[in-house]
């Protein structure tokens, strides 16, 4: 279950030789750098590279969204494929291929009807109304493409509700004849707050038997719940930190799915995400104005001044900057920020830079804040990978007061960039940030527990007073933060054990 996995014990189960390389297909709705909304893309864009280094034959399959630059990534057409959905619907798609960082083959499913649009999940006024159809098609296409190309994976590793139908199809698709009847399905829950709940009229398009429209599987208060179905059909489940694995078993963290996750607790593993230091390392990062290391922080000062200039802030090396890079969603503690930050700005001396987009009233709040505190608050509403690196490098503190946070990657990047995270103690934030101890100067950041504006305000005050009153502690915290190692190595070994567990414990006729 959420047991801490001991990678050295060799305790994985399954009939296969644990040293044999595996064939693994990642199926996902996002993969950095091609298509990214949040950390899911970072995981799908990095874990496969390590698995490949470990000798496994790994591939990734995602949609060919029209925002993906085919020329830049040298994406080429391979062959057509005909996908058979329920209702006897046939959809022709184009199979295309590219490479992830020149290391892992990536399959792109080209389907103009469903993916030939600018957004990934959303248009400016809300979610695409046919998302259930779009991702049902993608999930079925993953199986068909394996069959057509003869790449028969030992494991299909899928991510969140958009691809949660893959393990369903693996167990229900003409099982007698399917070459994939021996393939195990592993479902990673990156965020149980997004479940893919849709009207039952989608069910015929998905095309599995009516017996699966059952409260333990698809049915959810009269609707269809795609994540719930995936939780039932997957051979193993993972989530992205040990603490979140515990949280989703509880009534608040489980968001209505706790009993169903609990049923699968023998196959549930909490594995911390890793950070891709090939892209997130201040010593080698070519996106930031100057490189730096723990031993030579001059470059960080250059990055800070450049960030202040770029964001229209007064160039004050002596003032601390708090950075935010975030989706503007309730999960990220935006309600706390909207109350605590104006209050703190009124009586503490610090600057704030914000990069993000999402909820429109939060966007408006930050626009207002930048006008109200000209020279102290700089805001960029939008998505910019380059600017996100600048904020990580140029800030002194990184604000992440999440209400819940399955893992969180931004705080891991902050640690590496010597930008002390200020977080709420939840999920992966609890597992990756060690609270500052004023008497010893131990720790890597600042934590608070109760999700209230008061607690956030007071913790900002604690960080600001540490900056001005105990600069030697800030220097020590920074050294400790930069020495943390969240590289993928250990987590990748844990995933390999989960894959073997899933292969050895395949669910028969669920
Ligand atoms: P989540 O996946 O819940 O959004 P994570 O911390 O796991 O949270 O991952 C967020 C990722 O998305 C990080 O790589 C972060 O830099 C990136 N990100 C979020 N918002 C933006 C933005 N507006 N522009 C660029 N990158 C962003
Ligand atoms: C989700 C979670 C985030 C996690 C990311 C990658 O978006 O909100 O906490 O880091 O997935 O697993």
């Amino acid at each position: 279950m959420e047991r801490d996995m001991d990678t050295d014990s060799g305790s994985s189960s399954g009939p296969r030789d644990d040293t044999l390389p595996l064939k693994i297909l990642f199926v996902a709705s996002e993969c950095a750098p091609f298509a990214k909304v949040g950390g899911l893309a970072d995981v799908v864009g990095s874990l496969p590279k390590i698995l490949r280094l470990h000798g496994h034959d790994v591939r990734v399959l995602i949609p060919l969204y029209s925002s993906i630059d085919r020329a830049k990534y040298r994406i080429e057409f391979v062959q057509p494929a005909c996908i058979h959905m329920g209702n006897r619907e046939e959809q022709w798609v184009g199979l295309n291929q590219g490479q992830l960082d020149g290391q892992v083959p990536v399959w792109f499913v080209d389907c103009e009807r469903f993916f030939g649009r600018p957004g990934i999940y959303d248009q400016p006024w809300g979610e695409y109304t046919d998302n259930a159809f779009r991702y049902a098609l993608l999930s079925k296409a993953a199986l068909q493409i394996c069959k057509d190309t003869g790449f028969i994976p030992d494991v299909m590793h899928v991510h969140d509700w958009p691809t949660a139908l893959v393990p369903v199809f693996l167990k229900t698709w003409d099982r007698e004849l399917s070459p994939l009847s021996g393939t195990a399905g592993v479902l990673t829950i990156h965020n149980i707050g997004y479940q893919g709940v849709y009207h039952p009229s989608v069910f015929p398009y998905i095309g599995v038997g009516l017996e699966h429209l059952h409260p333990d599987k698809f049915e959810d208060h009269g609707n269809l719940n795609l994540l719930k179905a995936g939780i039932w059909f997957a051979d193993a489940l993972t989530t992205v930190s040990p603490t979140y694995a515990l949280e989703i078993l509880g009534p608040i963290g489980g968001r209505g799915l706790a009993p169903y996750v609990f049923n699968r607790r023998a196959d549930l593993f909490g594995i911390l995400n890793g950070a891709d230091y090939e892209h997130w390392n201040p010593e080698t990062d070519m996106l930031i104005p100057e490189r730096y290391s723990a031993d030579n922080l001059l470059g960080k000062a250059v990055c800070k001044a450049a960030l202040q200039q770029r964001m229209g802030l007064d160039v004050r090396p002596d003032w601390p900057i708090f950075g935010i890079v975030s989706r503007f969603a309730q999960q990220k503690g935006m309600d706390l920020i909207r109350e605590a930050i104006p209050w703190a700005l009124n009586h503490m001396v610090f600057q704030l830079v914000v990069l993000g987009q999402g909820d429109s009233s939060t966007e408006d709040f930050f626009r207002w804040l930048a006008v109200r505190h000209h020279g102290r608050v700089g805001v960029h509403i939008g998505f910019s990978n380059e600017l996100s690196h600048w904020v990580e490098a140029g800030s002194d503190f990184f604000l992440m007061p999440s209400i819940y946070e399955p893992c969180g990657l931004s705080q891991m990047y902050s640690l590496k960039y010597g930008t002390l995270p200020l977080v709420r103690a939840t999920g992966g934030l609890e597992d990756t940030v060690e609270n500052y101890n004023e008497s010893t100067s131990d720790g890597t950041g600042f934590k608070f527990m109760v999700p209230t504006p008061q607690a956030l305000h007071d913790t900002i005050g604690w960080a600001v007073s540490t900056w001005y009153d105990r600069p030697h502690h800030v220097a020590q915290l920074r050294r400790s933060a930069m020495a943390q190692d969240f590289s993928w190595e250990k987590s990748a070994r844990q995933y390999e054990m989960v894959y073997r567990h899933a292969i050895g414990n395949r669910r028969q006729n669920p």
Side-chain angles (χ1 to χ4, degrees), residues 6-222:
D6 177 358
T7 44
D8 300 326
S9 70
S11 62
S12 74
S13 55
R16 294 174 53 121
D17 178 349
D18 277 6
T19 57
L20 278 182
L22 299 172
K23 283 188 180 170
I24 306 158
L25 181 67
F26 276 60
V27 187
S29 49
E30 301 176 36
C31 176
F34 311 108
K36 169 164 167 174
V37 172
L40 165 60
D42 294 21
V43 172
V44 177
S46 51
L47 174 57
K49 292 191 292 183
I50 307 295
L51 294 168
R52 189 111 194 152
L53 278 180
H54 290 182
H56 303 292
D57 185 356
V58 191
R59 299 172 192 206
V60 178
L61 181 145
I62 62 168
L64 187 56
Y65 300 108
S66 60
S67 54
I68 297 177
D69 187 335
R70 298 179 195 211
K72 177 175 170 191
Y73 296 117
R74 300 197 187 150
I75 297 169
E76 283 169 6
F77 178 78
V78 181
Q79 62 193 54
C82 182
I83 317 304
H84 305 270
M85 301 303 295
N87 275 351
R88 296 171 184 264
E89 272 207 48
E90 285 185 355
Q91 176 71 53
W92 281 92
V93 301
L95 171 61
N96 292 254
Q97 185 162 339
Q99 291 276 329
L100 174 59
D101 288 344
Q103 298 161 44
V104 177
V106 182
W107 279 333
F108 295 89
V109 176
D110 186 8
C111 175
E112 181 61 27
R113 172 183 167 206
F114 283 146
F115 303 123
R117 7 180 138 168
I120 294 184
Y121 310 112
D122 302 320
Q123 48 202 335
W125 50 93
E127 202 193 340
Y128 291 126
T129 51
D130 56 355
N131 273 348
F133 295 89
R134 298 170 76 220
Y135 291 108
L137 184 274
L138 179 76
S139 301
K140 196 67 176 289
L143 278 81
Q144 185 68 48
I145 286 167
C146 288
K147 190 173 179 181
D148 291 356
T149 57
F151 179 76
I152 306 302
D154 298 299
V155 176
M156 288 172 88
H157 184 173
V158 305
H159 302 266
D160 278 349
W161 74 264
T163 50
L165 286 175
V166 169
V168 178
F169 291 140
L170 279 175
K171 300 290 184 214
T172 53
W173 195 39
D174 53 14
R175 293 209 62 202
E176 303 303 309
L177 301 173
S178 168
L180 298 171
S181 57
T183 299
V186 173
L187 168 64
T188 294
I189 301 172
H190 294 261
N191 191 334
I192 211 165
Y194 300 86
Q195 300 180 359
V197 177
Y198 295 103
H199 192 268
S201 55
V202 183
F203 200 67
Y205 184 75
I206 294 172
V208 298
L210 263 183
E211 69 276 18
H212 299 304
L213 197 50
H214 183 280
D216 281 339
K217 303 182 187 180
F218 274 95
E219 200 274 340
D220 184 356
H221 298 89

Side-chain angles (χ1 to χ4, degrees), residues 39-40 43 190-191 240 273 327 331-332 405-409:
L40 165 60
V43 172
H190 294 261
N191 191 334
V240 289
N273 284 336
R327 293 183 290 115
Q331 171 200 349
K332 299 294 178 180
E405 194 61 71
C407 180
L409 291 165

Side-chain angles (χ1 to χ4, degrees), residues 176-460:
E176 303 303 309
L177 301 173
S178 168
L180 298 171
S181 57
T183 299
V186 173
L187 168 64
T188 294
I189 301 172
H190 294 261
N191 191 334
I192 211 165
Y194 300 86
Q195 300 180 359
V197 177
Y198 295 103
H199 192 268
S201 55
V202 183
F203 200 67
Y205 184 75
I206 294 172
V208 298
L210 263 183
E211 69 276 18
H212 299 304
L213 197 50
H214 183 280
D216 281 339
K217 303 182 187 180
F218 274 95
E219 200 274 340
D220 184 356
H221 298 89
N223 284 316
L224 297 184
N225 185 321
L226 305 191
L227 186 65
K228 186 179 180 184
I231 288 170
W232 175 272
F233 282 94
D235 296 297
L237 300 174
T238 74
T239 187
V240 289
S241 69
T243 295
Y244 194 60
L246 281 176
E247 289 174 357
I248 60 174
L249 291 169
I252 298 173
R255 300 288 182 112
L257 293 185
Y260 308 97
V261 180
F262 185 80
N263 278 342
R264 300 299 318 278
R265 65 193 181 284
D267 302 308
L268 171 66
F269 302 86
I271 303 177
L272 200 63
N273 284 336
D276 186 349
Y277 293 135
E278 195 181 328
H279 292 291
W280 294 94
N281 179 353
E283 294 184 41
T284 52
D285 189 340
M286 296 310 287
L287 293 176
I288 58 178
E290 189 82 43
R291 272 128 306 281
Y292 60 90
S293 67
D295 297 329
N296 184 355
L297 287 166
L298 283 177
K300 186 160 177 72
V302 173
C303 291
K304 178 169 176 175
L307 181 66
Q308 286 170 320
Q309 258 165 0
R310 177 169 175 176
M311 300 300 284
L313 305 180
D314 299 337
V315 179
R316 293 288 304 253
D318 52 329
W319 287 356
I321 306 186
F322 287 77
I324 294 177
V325 178
S326 186
R327 293 183 290 115
F328 296 159
Q330 193 262 347
Q331 171 200 349
K332 299 294 178 180
M334 290 299 149
D335 294 343
L336 307 184
I337 286 178
R338 287 169 64 164
E339 285 206 42
I341 293 278
W343 178 17
L345 278 165
N346 279 341
H347 68 105
M348 297 178 201
V349 180
F350 66 89
Q351 292 176 323
L352 176 72
V353 290
V354 181
L355 165 63
Q357 60 182 6
D359 165 57
S360 60
S361 71
T362 305
E363 292 183 352
D364 286 343
F365 161 77
F366 282 122
R367 288 191 185 100
W368 165 81
L369 199 70
V371 174
R372 168 80 181 75
H373 294 279
H374 183 72
R376 289 178 65 205
V377 176
V379 172
H380 180 95
I381 303 297
F383 191 94
S384 164
N385 183 49
E386 185 234 10
L387 185 53
S388 73
H389 285 246
W390 276 55
V391 176
E392 291 284 10
S395 306
D396 298 297
F397 299 101
F398 193 85
L399 263 187
M400 215 166 155
S402 305
I403 301 302
Y404 73 95
E405 194 61 71
C407 180
L409 291 165
S410 295
Q411 85 283 4
M412 293 190 194
Y413 305 150
S414 321
L415 290 165
K416 187 74 178 169
Y417 284 73
T419 299
L420 303 177
L422 190 164
V423 303
R424 194 174 95 74
T426 180
L429 300 176
E430 172 67 357
D431 294 343
T432 54
V433 179
E434 189 195 334
N435 204 11
Y436 168 43
N437 179 333
E438 249 184 72
S439 52
T440 61
S441 79
D442 286 342
T444 58
F446 297 80
K447 284 207 233 187
F448 66 100
M449 185 63 81
V450 201
T452 59
Q454 175 83 54
L456 173 57
H457 166 274
D458 293 353
T459 312
I460 292 172

